[in-house]
Amino acid sequence: MDPTSFATEPSRYHHWKLSIDGEIARLVMAVDDAHPHRPGYELKLNSYDLSVDIELADALLRVRFEHPEVKTLVITAELDRVFCSGANIYMLGLSTHSFKVNFCKFTNETRLYLEEMSSDSGVKSLAACKGTTAGGGYELALACDEILLVDDGNSAVSFPETPLLAVLPGTGGLTRLVDKRKVRRDRADVFCTVAEGIKGKRAKDWGLVDGVVPRSKWDETVNARAKAIASAAPALPRGPAVKLPVVAPENYRYVRFQADRDARTGTIMISGPEAAPPADLATAELWSLRAFRELDDALLQLRFNYPEIGVVTLRTRGDRALVLAHDEALHKAQTGFAREVRLLQKRVLKRLDNTARSLFAVADDPSSCFAGVLLEVALAADRFYMLIDGDEQIAVATSAANGGPMPTATGMTRLEARFYGTPDQVGKVLARGKEGAIASEEAEQLGLATIAADDIDFADELRIAIEERASLSPDALTGMEASLRFVGPETLETKIFGRLSAWQNWIFTRPNSTGQTGALTLYGRPERPSFNWNRT
Amino acid sequence: MDPTSFATEPSRYHHWKLSIDGEIARLVMAVDDAHPHRPGYELKLNSYDLSVDIELADALLRVRFEHPEVKTLVITAELDRVFCSGANIYMLGLSTHSFKVNFCKFTNETRLYLEEMSSDSGVKSLAACKGTTAGGGYELALACDEILLVDDGNSAVSFPETPLLAVLPGTGGLTRLVDKRKVRRDRADVFCTVAEGIKGKRAKDWGLVDGVVPRSKWDETVNARAKAIASAAPALPRGPAVKLPVVAPENYRYVRFQADRDARTGTIMISGPEAAPPADLATAELWSLRAFRELDDALLQLRFNYPEIGVVTLRTRGDRALVLAHDEALHKAQTGFAREVRLLQKRVLKRLDNTARSLFAVADDPSSCFAGVLLEVALAADRFYMLIDGDEQIAVATSAANGGPMPTATGMTRLEARFYGTPDQVGKVLARGKEGAIASEEAEQLGLATIAADDIDFADELRIAIEERASLSPDALTGMEASLRFVGPETLETKIFGRLSAWQNWIFTRPNSTGQTGALTLYGRPERPSFNWNRT
């Protein structure tokens, strides 16, 4: 099977139409049923698969960077009677467990990015649902700031997953229903078990949608709301616009991903910038942007195309001072473009936090440059190994990137998460970092490095740690890392990845959904599913 | 197979020895390997199964009620070189998925009760680990306020679950490690993958234990710490002591559980008190205590002995005024005993929240009495159905129990959780409740009832709702309810049940642990496990 590619741009889209009209962008879902991600099913009724969602993620990125004037994003559909019927069931039925889980994770990330666009970039979103809005379709709407539903006596919002498919809405729907929209939990219980959904006035009364609009007034109402939302959008710096080239493994400049499929290990090597930041940062080739777009693509490659790679070492090479110079320029800049680059770095680091592989950061060469935003990469790792070299060339360094702008999903920074038990240490490390680079031995004493060792021990210790890690059960490691990485407070975001996704993973493996007589397996066939009735 | 019984008392214990010496209680784990919960395995090396944990839960309850003078609970072991080697692996290997999940849930509840005894009842706990403290043994220690480990060059604390068994520590260990003891997450990562664990000074330095003590000074140091902890215990009302009779289904007075195994439905009927509260509340037969001990037992019967019952209707009958009178007496009383009864009610209601069955509260008879603490039962349910009767006999009522003392695991009350989207409604409902009972129609308007219907529709609507619910996949319902019930903030407690347990449920169903060549299946056999290496 061909590896999955995440490289796209609007001219290549099969499933979405993006148009810009001043402050308002319209993203129209027009799924081409003949272009599924893999052969074997048709994408009927605006149902989506990974290929549809890859385009959606790309479109959101392009609105941010290429159309900074946009203040309202209207998400709507080309079909007259269907907004979106959710994730394609046949695709789910044909997929491996690993694909299903990673598909859900990716779609969840994209929906969280939509919400971040609203909270941090001042682009508000309006789901204009002129027809059936089912399952993942309603979950997409829930990720928008506002939901309008056509009131035609027929169109409903619904979560048919539990009653029809014996699974959960897998894209944050349950959490957003009660935690974001704050629908009363007993009403949510009713809603989630009524396959046909809820429409009209009741949908509005229960808080499932923000408004219901007759078909005759649809266009005028949606346009008026889009304009009103744009008028109320926050006054943030916007632009300048920068066109984004397509990023794909064959054109990486700063990232190299190497896999050893037999050993089930891989290495992501990130190179620092070659030169000082340009006076005008606004270019797609800016290291801070380009390197993190490549890292993002590499993480997706790893998730979808290298499922057997269990341990990934994260390495860096380059000039620490140049990394810090890029951080400084980026964090001083007041433009909308600079903000978007910072937010992109933040999202990519979160993608790293959420990547279910054992991550060991390694600094064992004087050319390593875990500085500033690249130190965040090391802090995201499960462990950080540093070689103690005689002349203290191997060192880490801090920048403004470590002090707040790159929070994790819990809301804490990576330093705050690391020093959850000794919060004073955060300030100490940042203060020490202002005085200059921190060599391996001191980094270990400060709690930044997990293990610092000298030449005699280092290589063996690291090799054994990687071999041992690669020998452990991948499932147990996934559960362990998901519990240890997200120390501290939970948020809507961590609830989606930690609670909802964990339940969905379980349900996806249970015979009632994916067994021979499971509901997901038999969907669309005449046979009725047959369940094991034991509750747990 | 005989149904599991939860009825015990110290004279019947096989596995623990409880002794009281003034302010200090000693609970000595001395597992009798010849008395497992089910035949088929031996409980060697102080490993535990459900029968061991049922006694532990009983012992904690008896310290609270029968020995209110106790300020320090020392948990230790009779074996000289082993504190506790954790949950018995052969028991896990022989168990159904449903049993494993419910076993973990019960043991988790007991450990949270130990922590509540510290925070709310002023009984601090000291884990005195004079030997190997592995897996569930270390998790039991983590639930204590303080951990002392013998420093003999051999005894370690450890989590061998991931490296040896391809599962997670299932009793809150991962969460307590980083969230309670705030062990640095990269060190926790190392600790959780080193099967032999960590001992001596490093265990202390990493925060895994609070002290390490040489064997020669063990007894004197443990005794001195126990006394010091007792001296520092908070000054709370204590007692009077009340001896607790054994509660079992055959002697229930206030609770009736009826199951229809063919329809996969059941009913829990709770009767209110027959008379006003006695002047001296301190009796084991006090309705507030007795009825909730019975409800607790019924919930455990349901979980372990009726796995196929998917939908449970919760009903009440009795005199609302008498329920309110008992609540009032209980919440006015300043004694330690009254506090313990309130805390027991709180724990039983949480056990209800955590019971993975669909719960429909039903008030369809004028004799129903969802008042005060019994209104909490209705608010814990997924839905609340009320019949609108002509003369408004069917009604709910509030008491002090609804205002704060019965918080859920999130820290919010059940009213706060219900009105998460409209927080003002909490005060409105409580104010309205002070004016008198709230009949069905008004209860629906206020948002207390999910559905109120009159005679013409009620019976059919309820019957169809129950039949439909009983027809849905149990697994999907468990995941759905776990997502909708715990709206709002997450806590250590909800993390254990919602995040950690969900991951463990998933891991328990994966071939790498429980398949034919899984690590849990092959434990103790010469064959090596064989894993599917795909990460998800």
Side-chain angles (χ1 to χ4, degrees):
Chain A
M1 215 184 277
D2 284 344
T4 295
S5 165
F6 300 87
T8 189
E9 57 173 332
S11 71
R12 302 190 201 171
Y13 291 175
H14 289 291
H15 308 298
W16 294 90
K17 297 176 181 173
L18 176 62
S19 61
I20 312 291
D21 181 10
E23 295 182 340
I24 296 170
R26 292 178 73 87
L27 189 53
V28 180
M29 193 175 198
V31 175
D32 176 356
D33 58 15
H35 275 96
H37 178 62
R38 299 281 184 224
Y41 55 91
E42 292 179 12
L43 293 170
K44 294 207 169 156
L45 295 173
N46 257 6
S47 60
Y48 63 85
D49 68 359
L50 183 61
S51 68
V52 179
D53 234 68
I54 288 171
E55 293 180 9
L56 173 61
D58 185 75
L60 297 182
L61 195 65
R62 289 180 192 279
V63 169
R64 287 169 179 269
F65 280 96
E66 301 183 1
H67 308 287
E69 70 278 18
V70 167
K71 295 182 175 171
T72 306
L73 173 68
V74 180
I75 300 185
T76 186
E78 202 168 57
L79 292 170
D80 198 44
R81 303 279 160 177
V82 178
F83 171 68
C84 169
S85 61
N88 187 280
I89 311 304
Y90 301 103
M91 178 269 297
L92 289 176
L94 289 170
S95 304
T96 62
H97 178 70
S98 165
F99 180 85
K100 277 199 285 289
V101 171
N102 276 298
F103 168 73
C104 287
K105 188 179 280 184
F106 180 77
T107 55
N108 269 311
E109 287 168 329
T110 306
R111 278 136 198 82
L112 285 160
Y113 296 172
L114 190 56
E115 291 177 322
E116 191 224 50
M117 231 166 103
S118 165
S119 61
D120 292 28
S121 297
V123 183
K124 303 292 167 183
S125 50
L126 172 64
C129 307
K130 196 181 176 189
T132 300
T133 300
Y138 181 45
E139 291 180 295
L140 176 58
L142 283 169
C144 294
D145 291 292
E146 209 172 300
I147 307 173
L148 292 180
L149 176 66
V150 71
D151 190 11
D152 58 5
N154 191 42
S155 298
V157 294
S158 65
F159 278 155
E161 285 88 342
T162 298
L164 288 191
L165 304 170
V167 298
L168 302 182
T171 323
L174 297 179
T175 304
R176 285 200 178 81
L177 205 57
V178 291
D179 278 288
K180 179 184 181 183
R181 294 193 66 92
K182 301 186 168 68
V183 172
R184 229 174 63 203
R185 54 164 280 226
D186 57 329
R187 287 175 163 171
D189 181 275
V190 172
F191 173 66
C192 294
T193 53
V194 175
E196 67 272 22
I198 290 181
K199 59 182 190 281
K201 185 172 176 303
R202 175 173 277 192
K204 170 88 167 66
D205 288 347
W206 284 22
L208 300 168
V209 303
D210 296 289
V212 288
V213 182
R215 201 159 268 276
S216 60
K217 296 190 179 163
W218 182 254
D219 288 344
E220 99 192 60
T221 309
V222 170
N223 291 337
R225 274 310 298 155
K227 279 183 195 159
I229 291 168
S231 314
L236 290 175
R238 291 175 189 265
V242 168
K243 186 146 170 45
L244 299 178
V246 167
V247 163
E250 55 274 18
N251 68 18
Y252 288 176
R253 287 179 56 197
Y254 298 110
V255 169
R256 206 182 62 200
F257 172 59
Q258 285 183 304
D260 179 345
R261 291 190 191 255
D262 292 333
R264 300 188 301 277
T265 59
T267 299
I268 294 179
M269 170 68 84
I270 310 170
S271 296
E274 304 99 340
D280 180 3
L281 298 180
T283 150
E285 297 306 314
L286 183 73
W287 176 84
S288 305
L289 171 56
R290 176 88 202 187
F292 276 78
R293 288 188 69 207
E294 292 175 8
L295 176 57
D296 205 31
D297 190 72
L299 292 172
L300 295 175
Q301 299 289 338
L302 172 64
R303 289 187 189 174
F304 283 94
N305 298 329
Y306 298 85
E308 74 279 45
I309 302 300
V311 186
V312 176
T313 53
L314 303 168
R315 293 167 183 269
T316 54
R317 66 173 166 206
D319 183 336
R320 277 196 305 270
L322 290 177
V323 177
L324 297 180
H326 275 74
D327 276 4
E328 193 186 4
L330 188 66
H331 290 271
K332 263 174 37 190
Q334 303 289 318
T335 63
F337 170 81
R339 179 193 63 235
E340 290 307 322
V341 176
R342 293 192 296 266
L343 291 174
L344 180 126
Q345 290 183 338
K346 180 182 81 169
R347 294 194 301 275
V348 176
L349 289 165
K350 285 190 190 185
R351 181 105 77 192
L352 183 61
D353 295 328
N354 257 329
T355 295
R357 310 298 166 99
S358 298
L359 305 172
F360 289 0
V362 178
D364 58 358
D365 190 278
S367 72
S368 86
C369 59
F370 285 104
V373 70
L374 293 184
L375 177 59
E376 293 292 306
V377 171
L379 294 171
D382 298 300
R383 304 182 188 176
F384 185 18
Y385 285 85
M386 293 185 78
L387 172 66
I388 302 174
D389 59 334
D391 47 1
E392 303 200 341
Q393 292 288 303
I394 301 177
V396 298
T398 65
S399 78
N402 309 114
M406 305 287 149
T408 65
T410 66
M412 294 195 296
T413 67
R414 284 179 191 77
L415 279 177
E416 285 166 347
R418 193 168 201 83
F419 300 118
Y420 190 58
T422 51
D424 290 351
Q425 196 67 8
V426 176
K428 279 184 202 158
V429 165
L430 290 173
R432 169 63 189 81
K434 286 198 178 130
E435 296 167 14
I438 303 168
S440 302
E441 206 163 356
E442 187 183 359
E444 186 191 38
Q445 284 154 11
L446 285 169
L448 292 169
T450 310
I451 286 154
D454 61 23
D455 242 353
I456 303 169
D457 298 319
F458 186 87
D460 270 354
E461 181 152 356
L462 177 61
R463 181 183 54 76
I464 291 169
I466 292 172
E467 283 175 10
E468 281 185 351
R469 188 68 156 216
S471 76
L472 301 185
S473 165
D475 306 325
L477 287 176
T478 293
M480 186 189 96
E481 290 156 7
S483 295
L484 299 180
R485 286 184 189 171
F486 299 93
V487 58
E490 299 257 6
T491 61
L492 184 139
E493 188 169 340
T494 66
K495 264 184 153 173
I496 287 173
F497 291 117
R499 175 187 280 269
L500 183 54
S501 298
W503 285 109
Q504 182 76 307
N505 284 6
W506 175 65
I507 292 163
F508 273 158
T509 63
R510 296 280 286 169
N512 286 352
S513 63
T514 54
Q516 278 201 315
T517 64
L520 203 56
T521 310
L522 294 182
Y523 181 78
R525 295 200 224 158
E527 303 98 299
R528 297 266 304 154
S530 143
F531 294 145
N532 174 326
W533 292 110
N534 279 7
R535 289 286 296 234
T536 49
Chain B
M1 217 183 273
D2 284 345
T4 295
S5 166
F6 300 86
T8 190
E9 57 174 333
S11 71
R12 301 191 201 170
Y13 290 175
H14 289 291
H15 307 299
W16 294 91
K17 295 177 182 174
L18 176 62
S19 63
I20 312 292
D21 180 11
E23 295 182 341
I24 295 169
R26 292 177 74 85
L27 189 53
V28 180
M29 193 174 197
V31 175
D32 177 357
D33 58 14
H35 275 96
H37 179 61
R38 300 280 185 225
Y41 55 91
E42 292 178 13
L43 293 170
K44 294 207 169 155
L45 295 173
N46 256 7
S47 62
Y48 63 85
D49 68 358
L50 183 61
S51 68
V52 179
D53 233 67
I54 288 171
E55 293 179 8
L56 173 61
D58 185 76
L60 297 182
L61 196 64
R62 288 180 194 278
V63 168
R64 287 168 178 270
F65 280 96
E66 301 183 0
H67 308 287
E69 70 278 18
V70 167
K71 293 180 177 171
T72 307
L73 173 67
V74 180
I75 300 186
T76 186
E78 202 168 56
L79 293 171
D80 197 44
R81 304 276 160 177
V82 178
F83 172 68
C84 169
S85 60
N88 188 279
I89 311 305
Y90 300 102
M91 178 269 299
L92 288 175
L94 289 168
S95 304
T96 62
H97 179 69
S98 165
F99 180 86
K100 277 199 285 289
V101 171
N102 276 297
F103 166 73
C104 288
K105 188 179 281 184
F106 180 77
T107 55
N108 269 311
E109 287 169 328
T110 306
R111 278 137 197 81
L112 285 161
Y113 296 172
L114 190 57
E115 291 177 321
E116 191 224 50
M117 232 166 101
S118 165
S119 60
D120 291 28
S121 297
V123 183
K124 302 294 167 183
S125 49
L126 171 64
C129 307
K130 196 182 176 186
T132 300
T133 300
Y138 181 47
E139 289 179 295
L140 176 57
L142 282 169
C144 294
D145 292 291
E146 209 173 299
I147 308 174
L148 291 182
L149 176 65
V150 71
D151 189 9
D152 58 5
N154 190 42
S155 299
V157 295
S158 65
F159 278 155
E161 286 88 342
T162 298
L164 287 191
L165 304 169
V167 298
L168 302 182
T171 323
L174 297 180
T175 304
R176 284 199 178 84
L177 206 57
V178 290
D179 279 290
K180 180 185 179 181
R181 294 193 66 94
K182 300 186 167 69
V183 172
R184 227 173 65 202
R185 53 162 283 226
D186 58 328
R187 288 175 163 172
D189 182 275
V190 172
F191 172 66
C192 294
T193 52
V194 175
E196 67 273 20
I198 290 181
K199 58 182 190 278
K201 183 169 177 301
R202 175 173 278 191
K204 170 86 166 67
D205 288 348
W206 284 21
L208 300 168
V209 303
D210 296 289
V212 288
V213 182
R215 201 160 268 276
S216 58
K217 296 191 178 164
W218 182 255
D219 287 344
E220 98 193 60
T221 308
V222 170
N223 290 338
R225 275 310 299 155
K227 277 184 196 159
I229 291 167
S231 314
L236 290 174
R238 292 175 186 265
V242 168
K243 187 150 171 44
L244 299 177
V246 167
V247 163
E250 55 274 19
N251 68 17
Y252 287 175
R253 287 178 56 195
Y254 297 110
V255 170
R256 206 180 64 202
F257 172 59
Q258 285 184 305
D260 180 343
R261 291 191 191 253
D262 291 334
R264 299 188 300 275
T265 59
T267 299
I268 293 178
M269 170 68 84
I270 310 170
S271 296
E274 303 100 339
D280 180 3
L281 297 180
T283 150
E285 297 307 313
L286 183 74
W287 176 83
S288 305
L289 172 56
R290 175 90 203 187
F292 276 78
R293 289 189 67 206
E294 293 175 10
L295 176 57
D296 205 32
D297 190 73
L299 292 172
L300 295 174
Q301 298 289 336
L302 172 65
R303 288 187 189 174
F304 283 94
N305 298 328
Y306 298 86
E308 74 279 46
I309 302 300
V311 186
V312 176
T313 54
L314 303 168
R315 294 168 183 269
T316 53
R317 67 176 165 204
D319 184 336
R320 278 196 303 271
L322 289 178
V323 177
L324 297 181
H326 276 74
D327 276 4
E328 192 185 4
L330 187 67
H331 289 271
K332 263 173 40 189
Q334 304 288 320
T335 63
F337 169 81
R339 180 194 63 236
E340 290 306 323
V341 176
R342 293 192 295 266
L343 291 174
L344 179 126
Q345 290 183 339
K346 181 183 81 170
R347 293 193 303 273
V348 176
L349 289 165
K350 285 190 190 185
R351 181 104 79 192
L352 183 62
D353 295 329
N354 257 328
T355 295
R357 311 298 167 97
S358 298
L359 305 172
F360 288 1
V362 178
D364 59 357
D365 190 279
S367 72
S368 85
C369 59
F370 285 104
V373 70
L374 294 184
L375 177 58
E376 293 291 307
V377 171
L379 294 171
D382 298 299
R383 304 182 189 177
F384 185 19
Y385 286 85
M386 293 185 77
L387 172 66
I388 301 173
D389 58 334
D391 47 2
E392 304 200 338
Q393 292 287 302
I394 301 176
V396 298
T398 65
S399 78
N402 310 114
M406 305 287 148
T408 65
T410 65
M412 293 196 296
T413 67
R414 284 178 191 76
L415 280 176
E416 286 166 347
R418 193 168 202 83
F419 299 119
Y420 190 58
T422 51
D424 291 351
Q425 197 68 7
V426 176
K428 278 185 201 158
V429 165
L430 290 173
R432 169 62 189 82
K434 287 198 176 130
E435 295 166 15
I438 303 167
S440 303
E441 207 163 355
E442 189 183 358
E444 186 190 37
Q445 284 154 12
L446 285 170
L448 292 169
T450 311
I451 285 151
D454 61 22
D455 242 352
I456 303 169
D457 299 318
F458 187 88
D460 270 355
E461 182 153 355
L462 177 61
R463 182 183 54 74
I464 291 168
I466 292 172
E467 283 175 10
E468 282 184 350
R469 188 70 155 214
S471 76
L472 301 185
S473 165
D475 306 325
L477 287 176
T478 293
M480 184 189 98
E481 290 156 7
S483 296
L484 299 180
R485 284 185 189 169
F486 299 92
V487 58
E490 300 257 6
T491 61
L492 183 139
E493 186 169 341
T494 67
K495 264 185 153 172
I496 288 173
F497 290 118
R499 175 187 278 268
L500 183 54
S501 298
W503 285 109
Q504 182 76 305
N505 284 6
W506 175 65
I507 292 163
F508 273 158
T509 63
R510 297 280 285 169
N512 286 352
S513 64
T514 54
Q516 278 199 316
T517 63
L520 203 56
T521 309
L522 294 183
Y523 180 78
R525 295 201 224 159
E527 304 98 299
R528 296 266 305 156
S530 143
F531 295 144
N532 175 326
W533 292 110
N534 278 7
R535 291 285 297 233
T536 49

